[in-house]
Amino acid sequence: MRREIRRYVENDVTGPDEALDAGDAEAIRARCREEFERGISELLEAAPPAAVAPRRRRMGQELYAGPLGLAFGFLHIHERTGEREAIERAADYLDVALEAMERSSVPRPEEWLSFHASGGLPAVAAVVRDRLGDSAASKQHLEDFRRVAECAAKTDFPTEDLLWGRGGFSIGAAFLRARLGEASVRDELVAAALARTIETGRRHAREHAPDLTPGAHGCPPLLYINFDRFMMECFARSAMGSRSRPARGLAAVAARVVMWIGERTEHLSHRYDIGLVHGLPGALYLMLQFPELLAGHAATNEVRASLDCLADCIDAERGMLELLPSRHSEPEKCTDKIHWCNGTTGAVFLFARAYELFREPAYLDAARRAAEQVWRYGLLRKGNGLCHGIAGNAYAFLSLYRASSEKRQLDRALHFARFTWTDRITREQRASDRPWSLYEGRMGTLCFYLDCLDPARARFPAFEVDAP
């Protein structure tokens, strides 16, 4: 019988040991500063701009794991420290990403939508150039992003996925409006994109409501398709239409993919993912980035009702459901899948944000229940990164701390910082394939160390973008 390997390392801090006194907290912060300073030096030595030019040109434009992510990381550092050197470093890595873009074929319009793919490039470039005093270049990059905004409002894009779909556009718009003013991305452009997202959610809810098993608050009036099915369909179309591989091998790949889709379409079409990145929570979170546009909107009640339905899916003992209950899926819990991208961690961010806006106690309670799972199961073997690592989980505590002012949440974030350099944890972790990247590597962890020094201003990089 195959032995199951858990995704997490046991958290051995319990009971009274969870609370940190002032001396212990200060010692952890001091170590965070040391780790940050040492890590930045090692990054610049091991991954200087000249060494991070991507093998695949499109990769250079990605914020998630490309040089654009390193540019964003140094921008994040500049916003926390005000150091001129940090923004200059950001410009160095940005130049690598811009050069990769110039050498690439022009992407299809939908490829520009996501902040974490190509769409983040003009947004980050506009802010970096602005901070360097190059207003002409900043305005040109801003114009490029506005064309993205127009595409987001018009394109019938098949997914609202936060990383790779239209949902990522909302992050870019909020990022720019918080740093360059609301006029940088006009209300009507954002409102048009949000209207597309809302209508997509309504349509999917109408189509799939008969499949869902109602909870205490019924079925959510907004629903979004599982990203797995969309990706498989795109891959098949791309494979069959590509000319970059030998036709014989390509045909075999395409045939296998089409067969895979044909066998699993029914199953995949009934996967109602409620992870933050690829499902309903992410779409709701992005809508909540624009409360002034959502206020008075006809969809406000639908957003609130969908939040209520998701709150029903969080159990303090067993975690959050991986999928909305339906006649095609078992109500499996995610106690062993506590990531920012998927699982219970995302619920902390979502409901902390919802509580900040609506001051509904039930939302704060939902965030606390989810945070309990992150505390118990969030020391991930995958590493210390943001997307599916300890630092990403720790940001959930910082987000809840800002919303609730509860010292317990700040203490938990500091404990997780300490775990990132604790031998008992690190020897169980695997090395990242992209060790210096923003979302899978050390750059994201270094941003977290810096944010532990000023938790009131802490923001998950390239996700919580509401304030510089």
Side-chain angles (χ1 to χ4, degrees):
M1 183 176 180
R2 184 178 178 181
R3 184 172 64 90
E4 182 179 357
I5 300 177
R6 293 188 302 188
R7 302 175 190 232
Y8 61 92
V9 180
E10 200 74 36
N11 186 343
D12 61 356
V13 178
T14 58
D17 294 336
E18 187 179 324
L20 292 172
D21 61 31
D24 290 337
E26 186 54 39
I28 293 174
R29 290 193 185 96
R31 177 67 182 269
C32 283
R33 183 178 295 280
E34 293 174 8
E35 293 289 333
F36 169 77
E37 293 174 352
R38 179 169 59 252
I40 290 296
S41 297
E42 292 174 352
L43 185 155
L44 292 173
E45 181 177 347
V52 297
R55 295 178 181 176
R56 290 181 294 137
R57 289 175 290 178
R58 189 64 53 80
M59 187 71 179
Q61 304 167 45
E62 292 184 4
L63 189 149
Y64 182 91
L68 182 60
L70 297 178
F72 190 97
F74 278 106
L75 173 62
H76 186 92
I77 293 167
H78 169 74
E79 291 179 341
R80 297 297 174 272
T81 65
E83 294 178 358
R84 175 77 178 183
E85 182 181 1
I87 196 64
E88 291 174 349
R89 296 290 188 188
D92 292 340
Y93 287 100
L94 175 65
D95 288 341
V96 177
L98 289 170
E99 182 181 350
M101 180 193 71
E102 292 174 358
R103 292 187 291 112
S104 297
S105 59
V106 177
R108 296 188 301 273
E110 60 266 26
E111 292 179 345
W112 277 99
L113 290 180
S114 176
F115 188 58
H116 293 83
S118 300
L121 185 53
V124 175
V127 174
V128 171
R129 299 304 188 210
D130 177 79
R131 298 299 186 260
L132 287 169
D134 190 348
S135 59
S138 177
K139 289 178 181 177
Q140 181 57 56
H141 290 303
L142 199 54
E143 277 303 310
D144 292 338
F145 187 84
R146 287 174 180 144
R147 286 194 286 272
V148 175
E150 293 172 358
C151 179
K154 297 176 182 177
T155 303
D156 187 17
F157 202 57
T159 178
E160 304 295 331
D161 186 83
L162 189 151
L163 282 184
W164 313 117
R166 192 204 318 269
F169 157 76
S170 298
I171 298 179
F175 167 77
L176 286 169
R177 285 161 65 97
R179 287 156 179 81
L180 301 181
E182 293 186 356
S184 61
V185 186
R186 300 188 309 275
D187 284 357
E188 57 266 31
L189 289 176
V190 178
L194 289 178
R196 282 274 187 173
T197 297
I198 291 167
E199 181 51 40
T200 298
R202 288 169 173 166
R203 184 176 71 252
H204 290 162
R206 288 194 302 269
E207 292 172 353
H208 300 292
D211 297 325
L212 295 178
T213 302
H217 287 89
C219 296
L222 300 173
L223 193 63
Y224 297 90
I225 66 170
N226 177 268
F227 193 55
D228 290 341
R229 181 187 182 193
F230 164 69
M231 280 299 294
M232 287 299 103
E233 291 173 346
C234 283
F235 179 73
R237 289 197 299 268
S238 176
M240 288 185 287
S242 173
R243 299 179 181 177
S244 61
R245 301 178 184 178
R248 187 174 181 180
L250 175 62
V253 171
R256 285 197 298 270
V257 172
V258 171
M259 183 181 297
W260 194 96
I261 293 173
E263 292 174 352
R264 291 164 174 78
T265 293
E266 180 177 357
H267 168 67
L268 288 174
S269 66
H270 299 296
R271 285 179 61 88
Y272 308 108
D273 198 322
I274 53 177
L276 181 64
V277 170
H278 308 306
L280 176 58
L284 294 176
Y285 182 88
L286 295 173
M287 293 178 205
L288 298 181
Q289 297 304 299
F290 305 97
E292 70 284 356
L293 299 180
L294 196 60
H297 195 287
T300 301
N301 290 337
E302 293 167 291
V303 170
R304 295 288 299 271
S306 298
L307 285 168
D308 293 339
C309 291
L310 286 178
D312 293 339
C313 298
I314 305 173
D315 184 280
E317 292 299 318
R318 298 179 61 201
M320 187 173 184
L321 289 175
E322 181 175 0
L323 307 172
L324 286 174
S326 81
R327 61 188 178 89
H328 297 277
S329 63
E330 294 296 324
E332 181 180 352
K333 297 286 184 176
C334 281
T335 54
D336 199 28
K337 196 174 185 182
I338 310 295
H339 308 160
W340 168 77
C341 52
N342 286 297
T344 309
T345 305
V348 182
F349 290 99
L350 173 63
F351 285 103
R353 178 65 174 169
Y355 176 71
E356 287 178 325
L357 295 181
F358 302 118
R359 311 311 293 182
E360 171 60 56
Y363 296 156
L364 180 59
D365 183 60
R368 287 171 176 155
R369 295 199 308 273
E372 286 300 316
Q373 295 301 298
V374 179
W375 173 246
R376 293 167 64 180
Y377 305 110
L379 299 178
L380 300 177
R381 297 178 185 271
K382 285 188 174 183
N384 291 330
L386 294 179
C387 184
H388 35 258
I390 293 177
N393 282 339
Y395 266 113
F397 298 128
L398 292 176
S399 183
L400 184 51
Y401 169 70
R402 292 198 315 274
S404 66
S405 300
E406 295 173 348
K407 178 180 177 295
R408 183 185 195 190
Q409 308 304 334
L410 177 57
D411 287 349
R412 286 179 165 184
L414 293 176
H415 274 298
F416 268 42
R418 179 174 57 82
F419 286 134
T420 63
W421 60 70
T422 300
D423 288 342
R424 183 179 72 87
I425 309 297
T426 57
R427 66 169 174 256
E428 297 283 342
Q429 293 176 326
R430 72 184 193 196
S432 170
D433 294 332
R434 291 168 280 196
W436 295 105
S437 64
L438 179 63
Y439 264 61
E440 292 189 358
R442 288 187 67 185
M443 175 53 93
T445 310
L446 296 177
C447 290
F448 166 62
Y449 290 149
L450 188 60
D451 277 341
C452 284
L453 305 181
D454 189 3
R457 297 182 61 204
R459 297 293 189 279
F460 192 113
F463 172 62
E464 295 181 295
V465 295
D466 57 306

